[in-house]
């Protein structure tokens, strides 16, 4: 059962101060004595109090800070995951142009890390650390969506299934992108097409597998689970899982990878097995990161403009910060097939 939200009055009673003093402490008022500040903050931590959004008005002007919240998996691979690096680059470009600073936070188990109210998503905002929240590949729970709408908390979600809600979203059609990639392979005569995909519970990976299956079905090719693997969106996973596919001794003429990093790993595995791309095996990726055009051979891939997606998300969030009554929008950014040299046409 959901617990009752702690109020400012309760904190004031427990600390033996006035409600206004609690507000001044939470607003970092320099005129509050250190002794009083420490007393109030101890009670705040004990009760798990978050100030109401209206209390932010006490602070005056905005801080010009955006908070980006994303899964811990990106923290663990921060310097390896080109997806996160590129999209964050786009966000930072928008922040620089609009004179905003950027705060990055990571969530391991969103909404369930010991907080009975499930406020982890909103914490940077509720603790007055930022002016708005940008979620990447995360989705707040229903009660949080209700609070976002009720209190007009500025939020934008990139890669979120919560379209048609109080949350402004920026998405791509992952299913259609994967369908386009695999159809390109079937149009070039390939029928033994493997899938090296991302995590099985990841929203994008699920949609991309669906697109893979739909393209096979459209070409009259039966789905064969022995031609599929899954794992994190990392180069070493693509390398390891491609070796596993090749060791199964199942004929493969082409591989569709759930992102470009997986494709880079697949390239290495194929080379180790003495297989050339595209002469022996054709290869298609997803994302079109900078390395795709520099790989050997240059990688055919589905391009999603990651910098633009990050930039659009940040611009929409800044718009909502400056105008809380700005309309909620669901933006779909188009994907395109970029044909390079990693696909061979079969006779």
């Amino acid at each position: 059962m959901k617990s009752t939200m702690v109020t400012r009055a309760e904190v004031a009673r427990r600390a033996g101060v006035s409600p206004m003093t609690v507000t001044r402490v939470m607003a970092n008022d320099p005129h509050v004595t250190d002794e009083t500040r420490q007393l109030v903050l101890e009670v705040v931590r004990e009760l798990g109090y978050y100030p109401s959004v209206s209390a932010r008005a006490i602070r005056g002007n905005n801080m010009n800070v955006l908070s980006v919240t994303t899964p811990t998996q990106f923290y663990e691979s921060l310097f390896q995951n080109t997806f996160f690096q590129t999209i964050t680059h786009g966000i930072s470009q928008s922040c620089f142009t609009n004179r905003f600073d950027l705060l990055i936070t990571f969530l391991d188990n969103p909404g369930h890390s010991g907080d009975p109210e499930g406020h982890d998503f909103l914490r940077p905002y509720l603790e007055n650390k930022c002016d708005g929240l940008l979620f990447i590949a995360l989705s707040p729970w229903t009660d949080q969506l209700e609070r976002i709408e009720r209190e007009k908390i500025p939020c934008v979600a990139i890669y979120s299934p919560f379209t048609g809600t109080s949350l402004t979203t920026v998405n791509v059609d992952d299913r259609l992108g994967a369908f386009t990639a695999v159809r390109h392979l079937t149009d070039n005569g390939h029928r033994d097409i493997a899938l090296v995909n991302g995590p099985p519970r990841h929203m994008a990976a699920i949609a991309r597998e669906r697109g893979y299956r739909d393209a096979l079905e459209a070409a009259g090719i039966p789905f064969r689970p022995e031609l599929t693997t899954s794992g994190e969106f990392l180069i070493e996973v693509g390398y390891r899982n491609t070796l596993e596919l090749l060791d199964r001794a199942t004929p493969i003429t082409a591989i569709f990878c759930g992102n470009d990093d997986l494709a880079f790993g697949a390239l290495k595995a194929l080379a180790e097995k003495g297989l050339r791309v595209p002469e022996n095996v054709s290869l298609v990726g997803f994302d079109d990161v900078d390395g795709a055009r520099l790989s050997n051979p240059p990688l055919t891939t589905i391009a999603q403009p990651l910098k633009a997606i990050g930039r659009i998300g940040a611009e929409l969030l800044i718009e909502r910060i400056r105008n809380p009554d700005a309309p909620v929008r669901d933006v779909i950014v188009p994907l395109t097939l970029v044909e390079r040299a990693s696909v061979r046409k079969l006779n």
Side-chain angles (χ1 to χ4, degrees), residues 71-89:
T72 301
Q73 70 190 64
F74 289 142
Y75 171 77
E76 295 170 346
S77 60
L78 185 59
F79 299 105
Q80 304 174 53
N81 192 297
T82 49
F83 166 88
F84 180 72
Q85 293 172 1
T86 309
I87 203 166
T88 305
H89 186 191

Side-chain angles (χ1 to χ4, degrees), residues 43-98:
V43 174
V44 164
R45 284 190 291 269
E46 178 185 345
L47 298 181
Y49 168 69
Y50 292 93
S52 67
V53 175
S54 60
R56 298 169 66 85
I58 301 296
R59 193 183 62 214
N61 295 330
N62 288 333
M63 294 177 291
N64 282 12
V65 176
L66 301 188
S67 175
V68 173
T69 303
T70 196
T72 301
Q73 70 190 64
F74 289 142
Y75 171 77
E76 295 170 346
S77 60
L78 185 59
F79 299 105
Q80 304 174 53
N81 192 297
T82 49
F83 166 88
F84 180 72
Q85 293 172 1
T86 309
I87 203 166
T88 305
H89 186 191
I91 294 169
S92 64
Q93 285 179 331
S94 178
C95 286
F96 179 81
T97 301
N98 289 279

Side-chain angles (χ1 to χ4, degrees), residues 56 59 62-65 100 125 129-133 154 321:
R56 298 169 66 85
R59 193 183 62 214
N62 288 333
M63 294 177 291
N64 282 12
V65 176
F100 271 72
Y125 183 84
K129 293 178 179 177
C130 66
D131 302 304
L133 301 165
I321 290 169

Side-chain angles (χ1 to χ4, degrees), residues 127-138:
E127 291 182 345
N128 289 336
K129 293 178 179 177
C130 66
D131 302 304
L133 301 165
L134 188 61
F135 306 130
I136 301 179
L138 288 173

Side-chain angles (χ1 to χ4, degrees), residues 199-268:
R201 295 184 181 179
H202 192 286
M203 183 179 71
I206 293 170
R208 290 171 195 178
E209 179 177 340
R210 190 163 64 248
Y212 164 81
R213 289 182 179 229
D214 288 349
L216 293 180
E217 182 179 355
I221 302 171
F223 170 71
R224 296 155 62 191
E226 68 271 18
L227 292 185
T228 67
T229 68
S230 62
E232 296 298 325
F233 284 117
L234 298 174
I235 293 174
E236 59 264 32
V237 174
Y239 167 74
R240 184 174 63 247
N241 286 359
T242 300
L243 287 178
E244 178 186 324
L245 278 173
L246 297 174
D247 288 342
R248 293 176 187 174
T250 303
I252 295 173
T253 66
I255 301 174
F256 167 56
C257 292
N259 78 344
D260 289 345
D261 281 354
L262 291 171
F264 298 151
L267 272 172
K268 176 176 172 58

